Amino acid sequence: MKVSAQEVQYIAKLARLEIPEEDLALFVRQFNDILGYAGMLGKLDTEKVEPTAQVLPYGNVMREDAAGTPLTQEEALSNAPAQKDGGYLVARVMEGGGV
Amino acid sequence: MKYETIIGLETHVELKTATKCFCSCPAEFGGEPNTHTCPTCTGMPGALPVLNKKVVEFAIKTGLALNCEIQRYNRFDRKNYFYPDLPKGYQISQLFLPICRGGYVDIETDGATKRIGITRIHIEEDAGKLIHSGASISDSDFSVVDYNRSSVPLIEIVSEPDLRSPQEARIFMEKLRSILEYIGVSDCKMQEGSLRCDANVSIRPPEQKEFGVRSEIKNLNSFRSVQRGIEYEQIRQAAVLDEGGKVIQETRTWDEEKGVTHSMRSKEEAHDYRYFPDPDLVPFVAEPEWVAKIAETLPELPDARKERLTGRLGLSAYDASGVIARLATADYFDEAMKHTGDAKAVANWILGDISAWLNSNNLEMRDFPVAAGNISAMINLINKGVLSSKLAKTVFEEMLKSGKAPAEIVREKGLEQISDAGALALAVEKIIKDNPKSAEDYKAGKDRALGFLVGQVMKETRGRANPEMINKLLREKLS
Amino acid sequence: MALYNLPAHELGNKLRKKEVSSVELTRGFLNRIAEVEPEIGAFVTLCGETALESAALVDAKIGRGEPIAPLAGIAGAIKDILCIKGVKTTCSSHILDNFIAPYDATVIAKLKQNDAVFIGKANMDEFAMGSTTETSYFKKTKNPWALDCTPGGSSGGSAASVAAGEAAWSLGSDTGGSIRQPASFTGTVGLKPTYGRVSRYGCVAFASSLDQVGPITRDVTDCALVLNAISGHCEHDSTSYNLAAPDFTKALTPDIKGMKIGVPKEYFGAGLDKMVEEKVRGAIKHLSGLGAEIVDVSLPHTEYAVATYYIIAPAEASANLARFDGVKYGYRAPGCRNLIEMTVKTRTQGFGNEVKRRIMLGTYVLSSGYYDAYYNKAMKVRTLIIEDFKKVFGKVDILACPTAPTTALPLGSMLDPLSIYMLDVYTIPVNMAGLPGISLPCGFSGGKPVGLQLIGRALDEMSVLRAAYTYEQSAGFHKTAAPLGGVSA
């Protein structure tokens, strides 16, 4: 299964990344190398094998519904690149240019 | 052409837990922006989720109340998409293994009972809130994010496409709210967003077997908008088909003010949520013993309550439905019934004067200031002939003002009904004497004159006379 | 021997005997850092001032005659993937280069309770994605045994700082070998605990089902001491074992008579450097000489581990790194007119190529239409890898094998991602199965250290530590200090 440059660009879009045109060919090649290597898994018959998402068996892990101490607004926003009125300030949500 | 409308609802319910779904921040509504947050619910690097046990209990409780099968083995998945109100870049949800499957809700429609299937119920976390700088999202040059609501626990209740009209959809939502209120898992405040729904709507010609292409309507924030939004959508889709067009599968948003749905258009990027099991949370098991314990905590549900009211208490189905729809009202009724035997009168007061007063003051039953026992005491006074129905209104208003017991009000204001034949006879004689013309008219067969004379006696006694006795006395004297 | 080359437990003894104060020790490390750091480049951030403050508090305790914890007053380096409240936590990435953690990782909180001193935040591959520490946004870290070589990765800064005498001990994190492989390359001891033994809360997630924090130290005794301090149940980590950890120093007895040590044949195949093989086989013979019973075993699915890993780890990473969007913290691309542009530019400018590649891979294998072919398939093969280990551990107590197929490689020599990935071929299966694994020096090849890896059953760090300690005390390779530039690659 070969991945095309177009597919790589689609994946980049899903991941909110940009692959510059000049790097695209190399990126596609490396992508295919790795996926090609991963293709070896196809050799294994896993029809009757259960998937493992986590290694160890656990009992139920839950906490009681008891309130802790939240961060202060100042602490919460201490790393905000931009803030306004106690919130995280972000650029215009809709596409297109703002002012 | 006439079409049949097919509707399925996806209802999001914010659970009434003390803390959030995966961290110990308070889940309560409101607060200054970003004061109910911690590293976990703001997606700080390195922070991890731990499941709130109460959330699972509430989900199971809801499943049981909606006649679902509770799944034993459960897991959480990550739903991946980018939006600034989603701090981790994924929402923790349950795609592959929802905790409840295959239930139903019975609704009353046109006097008949209709069963609406529940496909599934799953647990997920809420997103934060974006506050836009402008009047709308597209007018805004910037937005501000508040994560107070981020990771508040939700359950999503997905119905089967069993609903056939906007009216049914509304009734279904109202029934759902009743049940959720009764079992105490949510505040169910649509205006605060603790109960909200998306509707999948399609139409088909009556002879067609398969469903038409559906659109998903979002932003249905009140029972009224559920009905109106779907009404609009069925007309819109019918117009498209009548003109020979095709309905396209899309997400549309309901504009309450303009009364229309708009396409959300953002289809250029396909939704590919890349669900996978969340490795930060371990699978959990709902053992039958645990589920049974939760089942024991289920209260009497709306249907059972209604049956009790129509059965033993003899209310009409209509009155019973009115009383049981909201938990606070139903509880008020039950409380009142501890102090009187007159169910019909209690229902009448609740659905009549009390409802009217609440509506005109824009309040809910839980805000009603008069103790249920006082309403019962008032009813008892009426039934004993101590208080006239007419003066009961005065007592009711005084109770609203002062909160005093009805007997006290009657005494203080001297509102006690005069049923003493001797005292009334004097008043009747005086009125006949003062109004000879009317007395003659009545004798001459003009029945209307009697009404006038009764009114005069009432006036003379400042409304306290027992109207039946006056009637009787007048007739005797004038015959 | 210079104090900075002594293991932490010996320094602790000197503190308790008042031969030296913690402030003196800490100044000693800071001087050593000033001297060698320009050549080594092990740190992203130095915490000299707060380190001296912590040291003074420990000295005051000692002065009052109060008992002190084993690591109290001893300077350690913390991989820059772990949050220390009020300190920059960058993951060696541009996207976090101004992020100041507002909370302590659980392991940090535990170490603070032990009065440990944090001398600085150690360099690493960006978001722990790499095996050479060369993907760091900030700098390349050099191997103290051969300055033109990589210290390995991703915990290269942690390993190099200990090997160079810049810290007495360090913490790393290990997702596919990131503690053990740099330990192997730098002649230090690195332990990846059983998955769930140590809290991941506050360790910036790379691949959540594989990540585990652990010590890199000068010897096995220190390894047990650090593990004692950091392990145990954490209420903020759902994947943390809810059971009390044993006292790992109890494993420090030089006795492996009758211990069954398996030697998996798949770990000695093509790609293994001849000299490395010789040293590791020599170490196994040595273990046999110390009374262990050596058993040949097979883990037939080993060859699939790297492929499995490069599906599962990027898949988890693609979601874990979605939070870096420029909204809440870290870097935000300037001058963006709308949100999508802001997110895309922030991530494109903020992440390095290797991180982007893995996010893309992970996004791809989870995307609609490929989930079953890649992600679900990999989860199934993971089951097969786990079953291999289960079978083998029915027959033997621990496994012995090389940590890495080579010794430290020259900087800049690995250009092809796939060949870098193959450096983790012997360490990845251990993460896949969530088992404890240790790397410790077992000799030198061309002047560069060779690492021996010992793998245990889940939750059986004790057997691993006991075998490692027994070998170390007998072989003595831990006593040789890195020459710092004395050897060329």
Side-chain angles (χ1 to χ4, degrees), chain B residues 77-121:
Chain B
D77 306 300
R78 293 183 181 178
K79 177 183 184 178
N80 297 285
Y81 65 94
F82 286 92
Y83 207 64
D85 66 3
L86 192 67
K88 298 186 294 295
Y90 58 84
Q91 178 193 34
I92 303 175
S93 181
Q94 294 185 299
L95 174 77
F96 298 104
L97 302 169
I99 185 159
C100 312
R101 287 184 196 267
Y104 62 85
V105 172
D106 288 336
I107 62 170
E108 306 291 321
T109 160
D110 299 328
T113 300
K114 182 169 176 180
R115 183 157 288 187
I116 308 300
I118 300 294
T119 316
R120 54 182 279 162
I121 303 175

Short mmCIF file of all heavy atoms in Angstrom, two decimals, chain B residues 77-121:
data_model
loop_
_atom_site.label_atom_id
_atom_site.label_comp_id
_atom_site.label_asym_id
_atom_site.label_seq_id
_atom_site.Cartn_x
_atom_site.Cartn_y
_atom_site.Cartn_z
N ASP B 77 -12.91 5.95 25.02
CA ASP B 77 -12.17 6.18 23.78
C ASP B 77 -11.87 7.67 23.66
O ASP B 77 -12.54 8.50 24.25
CB ASP B 77 -13.01 5.73 22.58
CG ASP B 77 -13.46 4.31 22.72
OD1 ASP B 77 -12.59 3.42 22.81
OD2 ASP B 77 -14.68 4.07 22.76
N ARG B 78 -10.87 7.95 22.85
CA ARG B 78 -10.57 9.34 22.55
C ARG B 78 -11.19 9.69 21.20
O ARG B 78 -11.03 8.95 20.23
CB ARG B 78 -9.06 9.57 22.47
CG ARG B 78 -8.36 9.41 23.80
CD ARG B 78 -6.88 9.73 23.65
NE ARG B 78 -6.17 9.57 24.91
CZ ARG B 78 -4.85 9.76 25.03
NH1 ARG B 78 -4.12 10.10 23.97
NH2 ARG B 78 -4.26 9.61 26.20
N LYS B 79 -11.88 10.82 21.17
CA LYS B 79 -12.44 11.33 19.92
C LYS B 79 -11.61 12.56 19.57
O LYS B 79 -11.62 13.57 20.29
CB LYS B 79 -13.90 11.72 20.16
CG LYS B 79 -14.59 12.34 18.96
CD LYS B 79 -16.02 12.75 19.33
CE LYS B 79 -16.75 13.29 18.11
NZ LYS B 79 -18.15 13.66 18.45
N ASN B 80 -10.88 12.47 18.47
CA ASN B 80 -9.88 13.50 18.16
C ASN B 80 -10.39 14.57 17.20
O ASN B 80 -10.84 14.24 16.10
CB ASN B 80 -8.66 12.84 17.52
CG ASN B 80 -7.97 11.86 18.47
OD1 ASN B 80 -7.29 12.27 19.39
ND2 ASN B 80 -8.17 10.57 18.24
N TYR B 81 -10.35 15.80 17.63
CA TYR B 81 -10.58 16.93 16.72
C TYR B 81 -10.06 18.20 17.37
O TYR B 81 -9.93 18.27 18.59
CB TYR B 81 -12.06 17.08 16.34
CG TYR B 81 -13.01 17.42 17.47
CD1 TYR B 81 -13.35 18.74 17.73
CD2 TYR B 81 -13.55 16.43 18.27
CE1 TYR B 81 -14.22 19.07 18.76
CE2 TYR B 81 -14.43 16.75 19.30
CZ TYR B 81 -14.75 18.07 19.55
OH TYR B 81 -15.61 18.39 20.57
N PHE B 82 -9.74 19.17 16.53
CA PHE B 82 -9.18 20.41 17.06
C PHE B 82 -10.26 21.47 17.20
O PHE B 82 -11.01 21.73 16.25
CB PHE B 82 -8.10 20.95 16.11
CG PHE B 82 -6.82 20.17 16.16
CD1 PHE B 82 -6.60 19.11 15.29
CD2 PHE B 82 -5.83 20.50 17.07
CE1 PHE B 82 -5.42 18.39 15.33
CE2 PHE B 82 -4.65 19.78 17.12
CZ PHE B 82 -4.44 18.72 16.25
N TYR B 83 -10.36 22.06 18.36
CA TYR B 83 -11.20 23.23 18.57
C TYR B 83 -10.73 23.84 19.89
O TYR B 83 -10.41 23.10 20.82
CB TYR B 83 -12.69 22.84 18.63
CG TYR B 83 -13.59 23.97 18.19
CD1 TYR B 83 -13.54 24.45 16.87
CD2 TYR B 83 -14.45 24.60 19.08
CE1 TYR B 83 -14.35 25.49 16.47
CE2 TYR B 83 -15.25 25.64 18.68
CZ TYR B 83 -15.20 26.10 17.37
OH TYR B 83 -15.99 27.14 16.98
N PRO B 84 -10.69 25.17 19.97
CA PRO B 84 -10.08 25.75 21.19
C PRO B 84 -10.84 25.44 22.48
O PRO B 84 -10.25 25.51 23.54
CB PRO B 84 -10.09 27.25 20.92
CG PRO B 84 -10.67 27.47 19.59
CD PRO B 84 -11.00 26.17 18.96
N ASP B 85 -12.12 25.07 22.38
CA ASP B 85 -12.83 24.75 23.63
C ASP B 85 -12.55 23.32 24.10
O ASP B 85 -13.02 22.89 25.13
CB ASP B 85 -14.35 25.00 23.49
CG ASP B 85 -15.01 24.06 22.50
OD1 ASP B 85 -14.34 23.15 21.96
OD2 ASP B 85 -16.22 24.23 22.24
N LEU B 86 -11.75 22.59 23.32
CA LEU B 86 -11.42 21.21 23.65
C LEU B 86 -9.93 21.17 24.01
O LEU B 86 -9.08 21.00 23.13
CB LEU B 86 -11.71 20.32 22.44
CG LEU B 86 -11.69 18.82 22.66
CD1 LEU B 86 -12.84 18.39 23.55
CD2 LEU B 86 -11.76 18.09 21.34
N PRO B 87 -9.58 21.31 25.28
CA PRO B 87 -8.19 21.62 25.63
C PRO B 87 -7.18 20.51 25.30
O PRO B 87 -6.02 20.81 25.06
CB PRO B 87 -8.24 21.90 27.13
CG PRO B 87 -9.51 21.33 27.62
CD PRO B 87 -10.47 21.36 26.46
N LYS B 88 -7.59 19.26 25.29
CA LYS B 88 -6.64 18.19 25.00
C LYS B 88 -6.53 17.89 23.52
O LYS B 88 -5.68 17.13 23.09
CB LYS B 88 -7.05 16.90 25.73
CG LYS B 88 -7.06 17.03 27.25
CD LYS B 88 -7.33 15.70 27.94
CE LYS B 88 -8.71 15.14 27.70
NZ LYS B 88 -9.81 15.94 28.26
N GLY B 89 -7.42 18.48 22.73
CA GLY B 89 -7.44 18.13 21.31
C GLY B 89 -8.17 16.82 21.08
O GLY B 89 -8.21 16.30 19.97
N TYR B 90 -8.73 16.26 22.13
CA TYR B 90 -9.61 15.10 22.00
C TYR B 90 -10.60 15.13 23.15
O TYR B 90 -10.34 15.72 24.20
CB TYR B 90 -8.85 13.77 21.99
CG TYR B 90 -8.00 13.48 23.20
CD1 TYR B 90 -8.54 12.91 24.34
CD2 TYR B 90 -6.64 13.76 23.19
CE1 TYR B 90 -7.75 12.64 25.44
CE2 TYR B 90 -5.84 13.50 24.29
CZ TYR B 90 -6.40 12.93 25.41
OH TYR B 90 -5.62 12.67 26.51
N GLN B 91 -11.74 14.51 22.91
CA GLN B 91 -12.77 14.39 23.93
C GLN B 91 -12.78 12.95 24.40
O GLN B 91 -12.74 12.03 23.57
CB GLN B 91 -14.13 14.76 23.32
CG GLN B 91 -15.29 14.64 24.29
CD GLN B 91 -16.64 14.70 23.57
OE1 GLN B 91 -16.76 14.24 22.44
NE2 GLN B 91 -17.63 15.27 24.21
N ILE B 92 -12.84 12.76 25.70
CA ILE B 92 -12.95 11.39 26.21
C ILE B 92 -14.41 11.00 26.15
O ILE B 92 -15.28 11.70 26.67
CB ILE B 92 -12.40 11.27 27.64
CG1 ILE B 92 -10.94 11.75 27.70
CG2 ILE B 92 -12.52 9.83 28.13
CD1 ILE B 92 -10.35 11.78 29.10
N SER B 93 -14.69 9.89 25.46
CA SER B 93 -16.06 9.48 25.19
C SER B 93 -16.10 7.95 25.16
O SER B 93 -15.11 7.31 25.48
CB SER B 93 -16.48 10.10 23.85
OG SER B 93 -17.80 9.75 23.54
N GLN B 94 -17.25 7.40 24.80
CA GLN B 94 -17.35 5.95 24.64
C GLN B 94 -17.95 5.67 23.27
O GLN B 94 -19.16 5.79 23.12
CB GLN B 94 -18.27 5.35 25.70
CG GLN B 94 -17.79 5.45 27.12
CD GLN B 94 -18.75 4.70 28.05
OE1 GLN B 94 -19.92 5.04 28.14
NE2 GLN B 94 -18.24 3.68 28.72
N LEU B 95 -17.12 5.36 22.29
CA LEU B 95 -17.68 5.04 20.98
C LEU B 95 -17.98 3.56 20.88
O LEU B 95 -19.08 3.14 20.59
CB LEU B 95 -16.72 5.43 19.85
CG LEU B 95 -17.21 4.97 18.48
CD1 LEU B 95 -18.31 5.88 17.97
CD2 LEU B 95 -16.10 4.87 17.46
N PHE B 96 -16.95 2.74 21.14
CA PHE B 96 -17.06 1.31 20.84
C PHE B 96 -17.95 0.57 21.84
O PHE B 96 -18.65 -0.35 21.46
CB PHE B 96 -15.66 0.67 20.82
CG PHE B 96 -14.75 1.24 19.76
CD1 PHE B 96 -13.74 2.13 20.09
CD2 PHE B 96 -14.92 0.90 18.43
CE1 PHE B 96 -12.90 2.65 19.11
CE2 PHE B 96 -14.08 1.41 17.45
CZ PHE B 96 -13.07 2.29 17.78
N LEU B 97 -17.87 0.96 23.10
CA LEU B 97 -18.60 0.22 24.12
C LEU B 97 -19.41 1.17 25.02
O LEU B 97 -18.98 1.47 26.13
CB LEU B 97 -17.61 -0.59 24.98
CG LEU B 97 -16.72 -1.60 24.26
CD1 LEU B 97 -15.62 -2.11 25.19
CD2 LEU B 97 -17.54 -2.77 23.75
N PRO B 98 -20.59 1.60 24.56
CA PRO B 98 -21.41 2.46 25.42
C PRO B 98 -21.90 1.69 26.64
O PRO B 98 -22.13 0.49 26.54
CB PRO B 98 -22.58 2.86 24.51
CG PRO B 98 -22.66 1.77 23.51
CD PRO B 98 -21.25 1.26 23.30
N ILE B 99 -22.08 2.40 27.74
CA ILE B 99 -22.42 1.70 28.99
C ILE B 99 -23.85 1.14 28.99
O ILE B 99 -24.11 0.14 29.65
CB ILE B 99 -22.18 2.61 30.21
CG1 ILE B 99 -22.41 1.87 31.51
CG2 ILE B 99 -23.00 3.89 30.14
CD1 ILE B 99 -21.74 2.48 32.70
N CYS B 100 -24.76 1.76 28.24
CA CYS B 100 -26.14 1.25 28.19
C CYS B 100 -26.58 1.05 26.74
O CYS B 100 -26.26 1.87 25.88
CB CYS B 100 -27.12 2.23 28.83
SG CYS B 100 -26.63 2.85 30.43
N ARG B 101 -27.34 -0.01 26.53
CA ARG B 101 -27.88 -0.28 25.19
C ARG B 101 -29.33 -0.73 25.28
O ARG B 101 -29.75 -1.33 26.28
CB ARG B 101 -27.10 -1.43 24.53
CG ARG B 101 -25.70 -1.09 24.07
CD ARG B 101 -25.14 -2.32 23.34
NE ARG B 101 -23.70 -2.26 23.18
CZ ARG B 101 -23.10 -1.77 22.10
NH1 ARG B 101 -23.81 -1.28 21.10
NH2 ARG B 101 -21.78 -1.78 22.01
N GLY B 102 -30.06 -0.46 24.20
CA GLY B 102 -31.35 -1.10 23.98
C GLY B 102 -32.44 -0.85 25.01
O GLY B 102 -32.97 -1.80 25.57
N GLY B 103 -32.81 0.42 25.25
CA GLY B 103 -33.91 0.69 26.17
C GLY B 103 -35.09 1.32 25.45
O GLY B 103 -35.16 1.27 24.22
N TYR B 104 -36.00 1.88 26.21
CA TYR B 104 -37.14 2.56 25.60
C TYR B 104 -37.77 3.54 26.57
O TYR B 104 -37.55 3.45 27.79
CB TYR B 104 -38.19 1.55 25.12
CG TYR B 104 -38.79 0.73 26.23
CD1 TYR B 104 -39.86 1.21 26.98
CD2 TYR B 104 -38.27 -0.53 26.55
CE1 TYR B 104 -40.39 0.47 28.02
CE2 TYR B 104 -38.80 -1.27 27.59
CZ TYR B 104 -39.86 -0.77 28.32
OH TYR B 104 -40.38 -1.49 29.35
N VAL B 105 -38.54 4.46 26.00
CA VAL B 105 -39.34 5.40 26.78
C VAL B 105 -40.74 5.38 26.19
O VAL B 105 -40.89 5.42 24.97
CB VAL B 105 -38.76 6.83 26.65
CG1 VAL B 105 -39.70 7.84 27.29
CG2 VAL B 105 -37.37 6.92 27.28
N ASP B 106 -41.76 5.30 27.03
CA ASP B 106 -43.14 5.37 26.54
C ASP B 106 -43.63 6.81 26.62
O ASP B 106 -43.46 7.46 27.65
CB ASP B 106 -44.05 4.48 27.39
CG ASP B 106 -43.80 3.01 27.10
OD1 ASP B 106 -43.32 2.70 25.99
OD2 ASP B 106 -44.08 2.17 27.99
N ILE B 107 -44.19 7.29 25.52
CA ILE B 107 -44.75 8.65 25.54
C ILE B 107 -46.25 8.59 25.21
O ILE B 107 -46.72 7.64 24.59
CB ILE B 107 -44.03 9.59 24.55
CG1 ILE B 107 -44.18 9.12 23.10
CG2 ILE B 107 -42.56 9.74 24.91
CD1 ILE B 107 -43.69 10.12 22.07
N GLU B 108 -46.96 9.62 25.66
CA GLU B 108 -48.39 9.73 25.38
C GLU B 108 -48.55 10.66 24.20
O GLU B 108 -48.10 11.80 24.25
CB GLU B 108 -49.14 10.37 26.57
CG GLU B 108 -48.92 9.68 27.90
CD GLU B 108 -49.57 8.31 27.94
OE1 GLU B 108 -50.69 8.18 27.40
OE2 GLU B 108 -48.94 7.39 28.49
N THR B 109 -49.17 10.17 23.15
CA THR B 109 -49.40 11.04 22.01
C THR B 109 -50.78 10.76 21.45
O THR B 109 -51.13 9.61 21.19
CB THR B 109 -48.28 10.88 20.95
OG1 THR B 109 -48.75 11.36 19.71
CG2 THR B 109 -47.81 9.45 20.82
N ASP B 110 -51.59 11.80 21.34
CA ASP B 110 -52.98 11.69 20.91
C ASP B 110 -53.73 10.63 21.71
O ASP B 110 -54.43 9.79 21.16
CB ASP B 110 -53.07 11.34 19.41
CG ASP B 110 -52.42 12.41 18.56
OD1 ASP B 110 -52.47 13.59 18.97
OD2 ASP B 110 -51.85 12.07 17.50
N GLY B 111 -53.49 10.66 23.01
CA GLY B 111 -54.22 9.74 23.88
C GLY B 111 -53.73 8.30 23.86
O GLY B 111 -54.22 7.47 24.61
N ALA B 112 -52.78 8.01 22.99
CA ALA B 112 -52.27 6.64 22.93
C ALA B 112 -50.83 6.61 23.46
O ALA B 112 -50.16 7.63 23.50
CB ALA B 112 -52.30 6.13 21.51
N THR B 113 -50.40 5.42 23.85
CA THR B 113 -49.03 5.28 24.32
C THR B 113 -48.16 4.80 23.16
O THR B 113 -48.54 3.88 22.44
CB THR B 113 -48.97 4.27 25.47
OG1 THR B 113 -49.78 4.75 26.52
CG2 THR B 113 -47.54 4.11 25.97
N LYS B 114 -47.01 5.45 22.99
CA LYS B 114 -46.10 5.05 21.93
C LYS B 114 -44.74 4.77 22.53
O LYS B 114 -44.26 5.53 23.38
CB LYS B 114 -46.02 6.16 20.89
CG LYS B 114 -45.12 5.81 19.73
CD LYS B 114 -45.25 6.78 18.58
CE LYS B 114 -44.24 6.38 17.51
NZ LYS B 114 -44.28 7.28 16.37
N ARG B 115 -44.12 3.70 22.11
CA ARG B 115 -42.83 3.31 22.66
C ARG B 115 -41.70 3.81 21.74
O ARG B 115 -41.68 3.50 20.56
CB ARG B 115 -42.77 1.80 22.81
CG ARG B 115 -41.49 1.30 23.43
CD ARG B 115 -41.67 -0.06 24.07
NE ARG B 115 -42.47 0.05 25.30
CZ ARG B 115 -42.67 -0.96 26.14
NH1 ARG B 115 -42.17 -2.16 25.88
NH2 ARG B 115 -43.40 -0.79 27.23
N ILE B 116 -40.78 4.60 22.32
CA ILE B 116 -39.65 5.13 21.56
C ILE B 116 -38.38 4.41 22.02
O ILE B 116 -38.05 4.41 23.21
CB ILE B 116 -39.49 6.66 21.81
CG1 ILE B 116 -40.81 7.39 21.56
CG2 ILE B 116 -38.35 7.23 20.97
CD1 ILE B 116 -41.37 7.25 20.15
N GLY B 117 -37.70 3.81 21.09
CA GLY B 117 -36.50 3.03 21.44
C GLY B 117 -35.31 3.91 21.82
O GLY B 117 -35.15 5.01 21.29
N ILE B 118 -34.51 3.41 22.76
CA ILE B 118 -33.25 4.07 23.11
C ILE B 118 -32.13 3.17 22.58
O ILE B 118 -32.01 2.01 22.99
CB ILE B 118 -33.10 4.23 24.63
CG1 ILE B 118 -34.25 5.08 25.21
CG2 ILE B 118 -31.74 4.84 24.99
CD1 ILE B 118 -34.27 6.51 24.77
N THR B 119 -31.35 3.68 21.65
CA THR B 119 -30.29 2.88 21.05
C THR B 119 -29.15 2.64 22.04
O THR B 119 -28.69 1.53 22.24
CB THR B 119 -29.70 3.61 19.83
OG1 THR B 119 -30.77 4.13 19.06
CG2 THR B 119 -28.84 2.68 18.99
N ARG B 120 -28.72 3.75 22.66
CA ARG B 120 -27.55 3.65 23.54
C ARG B 120 -27.44 4.88 24.42
O ARG B 120 -28.01 5.93 24.12
CB ARG B 120 -26.26 3.53 22.70
CG ARG B 120 -26.13 4.67 21.69
CD ARG B 120 -24.88 4.52 20.83
NE ARG B 120 -23.71 5.00 21.54
CZ ARG B 120 -22.45 4.69 21.20
NH1 ARG B 120 -22.23 3.88 20.18
NH2 ARG B 120 -21.45 5.17 21.88
N ILE B 121 -26.72 4.70 25.51
CA ILE B 121 -26.35 5.84 26.35
C ILE B 121 -24.86 5.71 26.61
O ILE B 121 -24.38 4.62 26.95
CB ILE B 121 -27.09 5.83 27.71
CG1 ILE B 121 -28.60 5.79 27.50
CG2 ILE B 121 -26.67 7.03 28.56
CD1 ILE B 121 -29.39 5.64 28.81
#
